[in-house]
Amino acid sequence: MVFSVSSAALEFMNSSETSTVTEFVLLGFPGCQELQSFLFSLFLGIYIFTIMGNGIIVCAVRLDQRLHTPMYILLGNFAFLEILYITSTVPSMLVNFLSETKTISFVGCFLQLYFFTSLGTTEAYFLCIMAYDRYLAICHPLHYSTTMTQQLCYILMSLCWVLGFLSYSVSTIQLSQLPFCGPNTIDHFMCDMDPLMALSCATAPVMEIIFCVLNSLIIILTLLYILGSYTLLLIAVLKVPSAAGLRKAFSTCGSHLTVVCLFFGALLATYVSPTADNPAEIQKILTLFYSVVTPFLNPLIYSLRNKDMKAALKKILFGDKVKENDQRAKLGRTLYTIVRTFNSM
């Protein structure tokens, strides 16, 4: 298939190699105008659904007193994080689909890189805390309320945000200090570390090693911690004698494990495994998977598998109608009990 690129974009791609780069060209998903319009509509719909779905979860946790527990406080913050995470990439993608030049400023590119990597790192840390919370709730239920207090929950969440935004701060600044004299074309829909390092005029093997080690340590260590927590949790669950207890435990943890598999699977394939040398189109698809698909599926995964969350969402969406229906159902059951008692006399 022959991809068409606008004349303005070609002019940027063929810019002199001796000039200083002040902006980058993001090729994104090249194609005809009809394809660009279709992709714009598709990702706009995904973005709106993601914002609304995760926003409703945040509101439900905030407004429903029953959800003011560590598990749901973590879930509400995780949903807010997903809103920020998808916002770090999709809006610029949408602009790119409609743009002829497909450019992003030098500063804008590195700001996107910083926020994208920081939010992704924060999400990995959040998944660790959520695994720890489930481990305490199922393996040590008698001590859960005294160990995982709201104060500890807020401290852990604050650490996630602070460490997430500190992890790549120095590395991103160092990368931005490298000389970029051309070409300025990035075969991606966003500014990522590997494409930017490839465009630098000067080789930086030490920085490449630092990025590689940092990526591997964060991804592998957080994943090992989560898998270790769930291994201990699974051992404890298998000791539960009742089938109802087993179902409840698997239902509670199944949604979290689904998100872990989606997020870390794509991350490992992108940054740690040998597939990092795959063609650009494969890299784009893998990046889409953990940066767009995971936030998009988050509301569906957590709301559809959790009874308390579904009840809270109904209350948020339908308000007094749900309460009125519940009252009618309760009144009906009461009347039925009275009639049945009267007939048995």
Side-chain angles (χ1 to χ4, degrees):
M1 177 180 182
V2 178
F3 296 121
S4 62
V5 182
S6 65
S7 58
L10 285 172
E11 182 179 348
F12 278 107
M13 284 186 280
N14 296 324
S15 59
S16 173
E17 294 192 3
T18 59
S19 62
T20 301
V21 171
T22 58
E23 58 187 7
F24 296 97
V25 178
L26 294 173
L27 290 183
F29 297 94
C32 60
Q33 189 58 44
E34 289 76 12
L35 176 62
Q36 298 295 301
S37 300
F38 169 75
L39 291 175
F40 174 83
S41 302
L42 174 64
F43 283 102
L44 178 62
I46 291 174
Y47 182 63
I48 292 173
F49 176 85
T50 304
I51 297 296
M52 291 181 62
N54 285 287
I56 290 173
I57 291 178
V58 173
C59 292
V61 173
R62 177 71 177 173
L63 299 176
D64 196 322
Q65 293 291 331
R66 294 172 300 176
L67 302 184
H68 289 182
T69 61
M71 183 179 99
Y72 291 109
I73 292 172
L74 287 170
L75 178 57
N77 274 264
F78 187 74
F80 177 69
L81 172 61
E82 294 285 50
I83 293 174
L84 297 181
Y85 194 34
I86 195 171
T87 301
S88 68
T89 55
V90 172
S92 64
M93 285 175 58
L94 296 175
V95 173
N96 199 324
F97 288 135
L98 301 180
S99 172
E100 291 186 359
T101 57
K102 302 184 182 301
T103 58
I104 183 172
S105 68
F106 185 91
V107 174
C109 185
F110 279 94
L111 280 175
Q112 184 186 57
L113 171 66
Y114 173 66
F115 281 106
F116 178 74
T117 53
S118 297
L119 291 167
T121 306
T122 304
E123 180 162 340
Y125 294 154
F126 253 94
L127 290 171
C128 285
I129 293 181
M130 293 168 77
Y132 175 66
D133 175 74
R134 291 301 84 208
Y135 164 75
L136 286 179
I138 294 175
C139 296
H140 303 283
L142 299 178
H143 303 286
Y144 176 72
S145 58
T146 55
T147 303
M148 181 57 81
T149 61
Q150 283 198 10
Q151 182 180 6
L152 177 61
C153 182
Y154 284 119
I155 290 174
L156 292 175
M157 288 191 303
S158 300
L159 284 174
C160 283
W161 286 100
V162 172
L163 293 177
F165 276 81
L166 286 178
S167 296
Y168 284 93
S169 56
V170 176
S171 301
T172 304
I173 293 173
Q174 289 177 334
L175 179 59
S176 68
Q177 300 304 308
L178 293 177
F180 293 90
C181 50
N184 63 341
T185 304
I186 300 175
D187 193 4
H188 211 315
F189 61 83
M190 57 159 288
C191 296
D192 206 355
M193 288 179 290
D194 291 339
L196 282 171
M197 293 190 72
L199 291 180
S200 174
C201 302
T203 58
V206 176
M207 190 174 298
E208 289 182 12
I209 294 173
I210 292 174
F211 269 122
C212 182
V213 171
L214 190 58
N215 288 336
S216 300
L217 282 176
I218 291 175
I219 295 171
I220 293 175
L221 290 180
T222 52
L223 180 59
L224 286 176
Y225 179 84
I226 293 170
L227 293 178
S229 298
Y230 275 96
T231 300
L232 295 174
L233 189 150
L234 181 61
I235 294 172
V237 164
L238 293 177
K239 295 178 181 178
V240 176
S242 67
L246 282 171
R247 282 195 301 270
K248 184 177 180 181
F250 280 118
S251 176
T252 303
C253 303
S255 55
H256 183 209
L257 277 175
T258 303
V259 174
V260 168
C261 292
L262 290 173
F263 182 71
F264 280 98
L267 279 179
L268 287 171
T270 303
Y271 294 109
V272 179
S273 72
T275 56
D277 294 328
N278 271 342
E281 298 304 318
I282 302 298
Q283 294 294 331
K284 294 175 190 177
I285 293 172
L286 289 172
T287 305
L288 274 178
F289 213 79
Y290 66 83
S291 65
V292 177
V293 175
T294 302
F296 171 72
L297 293 179
N298 182 54
L300 296 174
I301 292 171
Y302 282 107
S303 62
L304 293 179
R305 294 181 61 90
N306 190 291
K307 184 170 64 175
D308 293 334
M309 182 58 68
K310 284 192 285 188
L313 292 178
K314 286 180 182 178
K315 183 178 178 181
I316 294 294
L317 295 174
F318 303 107
D320 294 334
K321 290 183 179 180
V322 175
K323 184 184 292 186
E324 185 179 337
N325 290 336
D326 289 342
Q327 290 175 347
R328 287 179 180 177
K330 190 178 295 184
L331 179 60
R333 288 193 297 267
T334 304
L335 290 173
Y336 174 76
T337 303
I338 293 172
V339 171
R340 188 174 179 181
T341 304
F342 179 78
N343 290 335
S344 63
M345 291 176 61

